[in-house]
Amino acid sequence: MRVGFFGTPDLAARVLADLARRHEMLFIVTAPDREAGRHRALRPCAAKLCAGDIDAPVLQPETLKGPAFLEEIRAFNADIFVVVAYGSLIPRSVFDLPPLGTVNLHPSLLPKYRGAAPIPWAIMNGETGTGITVQLINERLDAGDIVVQEPLAIGPDMTAGDLVDIVCARGAGLIDRAMAILAAGDPKPMVQDESKATYCGKIDRDMARIRWDAPAHAVHDLVRAMNPKPVAFTEFRGEPLKIFNTAVQGGGEGAPPGSIIMEGKKRLLAAAGDGLVEIRSLQPASRKVMDALSFINGFRPAPGERFG
C-alpha cells in the first residue's frame, strides 16, 4: 500500500517502523516540535525521529485545515491514511482524501475508553482485559465504524508499559488486516454502540499521587497504570518518592494509611485503606531507582514513619 501516516509519540513511532517494512510510507505528519527540558530546547517527537530512519518526508502543520496542506498531501496519491496517536482530530477534508479512507489504531476495545489515555485508565480501573481496534475515522473522537478488533488480557501485575509493548508488537499487523479488508471491497465495518461508549481524559501528575486510604488493590493498580510515566508518587520525609513496582498483601489491620511496615528488615510495606502494599521498586528524590532492601538500608525508616 501507499500510505500517508499521522502520529506523534513512541507508540506511533514503533507502529510506523513496523508498517514501513511492508508498505511505502509516502509522508509522516507529526505534531510540531515542542520546547522541553530545563533549557526549553525544541525537541522532535518519536515519530519524526523514526521518519528519518525510513527516509520519509515529515510534515508538521500547526493546523490540518489549511488549503496548502490539503493540496500538499493530495499530491502524494496515497491509497490510505493511517493514524496512530496523532493527538488532534483529523478533519473530513483530510480523512476523505484517499480512496480507501483513513483508519485509526486505538488501544482499547471500542466503544470503551475513547480518548487520550485508554491504557492507563483501563489498568487504573482494575480491568482484566482490553484490546486493540482499527476503525474508520469520522468527525467525532474515536467514534468511527470498526474494521477489526483484537482482545488483550491484562495480567494482575502488568504495567502500562507492558501493555504498550504488546500493542506495538501487534498493532501494525492489525492495520495490515484492516487494509486488506478495505482493499477487497464491501468491508461491512461495525457501527459502534453509543450506549456503551466511555471516555478517558489525559493523565496529569496529580492523578499519579498515591492516596493511601484507598484499598490496597487500588494503590497497586495506580502504580501499574502510571508506569513508565508519569510514575506514581508519594512523600517521604518531606520529599517526593516515586514508586514503580508493588504487590498486594493481606494484614495491616488497624495501621494508619501510609504507615511504613518492615518485615525482617528485608521487605518494605505500607498500610492502605484495607490490606498492605508491598513496595518492591522505588526512587527517592535525587537518587536512582532502587529495590526495597536498598531503601531500607540507606534510609532506615523508623517505627511510626508514614508515606504521604
Side-chain angles (χ1 to χ4, degrees), residues 6-7 29 64-65 69 73 81-83 86-96 102 104 137-140:
F6 295 70
V29 180
L64 303 184
K65 296 181 179 180
F69 172 73
I73 60 172
F81 292 164
V82 172
V83 182
Y86 174 61
S88 299
L89 289 174
I90 312 293
R92 177 171 292 277
S93 59
V94 173
F95 68 68
D96 274 348
T102 299
N104 175 56
I137 277 187
N138 66 17
E139 291 169 311
R140 294 188 299 123

Side-chain angles (χ1 to χ4, degrees), residues 105 217 261:
L105 178 76
H217 70 84
I261 300 168

Side-chain angles (χ1 to χ4, degrees), residues 14-281:
R14 293 164 70 179
V15 174
L16 169 62
D18 197 356
L19 285 173
R21 297 186 181 99
R22 299 178 297 282
H23 303 283
E24 182 182 0
M25 311 310 294
L26 301 177
F27 62 84
I28 315 299
V29 180
T30 77
D33 297 347
R34 303 299 186 194
E35 293 182 349
R38 182 180 302 175
H39 302 293
R40 310 309 297 168
L42 289 176
R43 182 176 297 175
C45 67
K48 181 177 181 178
L49 296 174
C50 179
D53 294 334
I54 62 178
D55 195 28
V58 176
L59 312 177
Q60 295 181 281
E62 289 290 344
T63 176
L64 303 184
K65 296 181 179 180
F69 172 73
L70 195 63
E71 290 308 309
E72 185 176 16
I73 60 172
R74 188 197 306 273
F76 285 100
N77 293 316
D79 298 316
I80 192 168
F81 292 164
V82 172
V83 182
V84 182
Y86 174 61
S88 299
L89 289 174
I90 312 293
R92 177 171 292 277
S93 59
V94 173
F95 68 68
D96 274 348
L97 272 180
L100 296 182
T102 299
V103 295
N104 175 56
L105 178 76
H106 188 76
S108 81
L109 284 182
L110 291 172
K112 288 190 69 173
Y113 295 108
R114 295 176 179 175
I119 288 176
W121 276 100
I123 295 175
M124 191 163 45
N125 287 342
E127 301 277 9
T128 59
T130 184
I132 313 171
T133 300
V134 179
Q135 52 158 157
L136 288 164
I137 277 187
N138 66 17
E139 291 169 311
R140 294 188 299 123
L141 180 64
D142 300 325
D145 295 352
I146 294 167
V147 182
V148 63
Q149 285 186 317
E150 180 176 307
L152 298 175
I154 303 177
D157 296 314
M158 185 176 287
T159 67
D162 295 332
L163 200 50
V164 167
D165 287 343
I166 295 172
V167 173
C168 289
R170 302 184 187 181
L174 209 63
I175 293 170
D176 284 342
R177 285 171 53 191
M179 287 181 180
I181 290 170
L182 293 171
D186 195 26
K188 296 183 175 63
M190 181 178 69
V191 177
Q192 293 190 41
D193 184 346
E194 290 295 323
S195 69
K196 297 181 180 178
T198 62
Y199 293 85
C200 58
K202 294 181 179 180
I203 299 294
D204 60 34
R205 187 174 185 274
D206 187 62
M207 292 176 61
R209 181 185 297 275
I210 296 172
R211 274 72 176 179
W212 291 106
D213 57 353
H217 70 84
V219 174
H220 176 60
D221 291 342
L222 178 72
V223 171
R224 297 189 298 128
M226 299 297 120
N227 183 349
K229 63 181 182 180
V231 184
F233 71 97
T234 186
E235 290 80 28
F236 177 68
R237 295 176 182 170
E239 296 287 340
L241 177 76
K242 294 181 177 180
I243 297 181
F244 289 83
N245 187 265
T246 56
V248 177
Q249 303 290 327
E253 291 80 3
S259 297
I260 298 173
I261 300 168
M262 289 178 290
E263 289 190 359
K265 296 185 178 181
K266 292 184 178 181
R267 298 176 67 209
L268 178 67
L269 302 103
D274 66 353
L276 299 172
V277 176
E278 181 179 3
I279 300 171
R280 295 177 172 176
S281 177

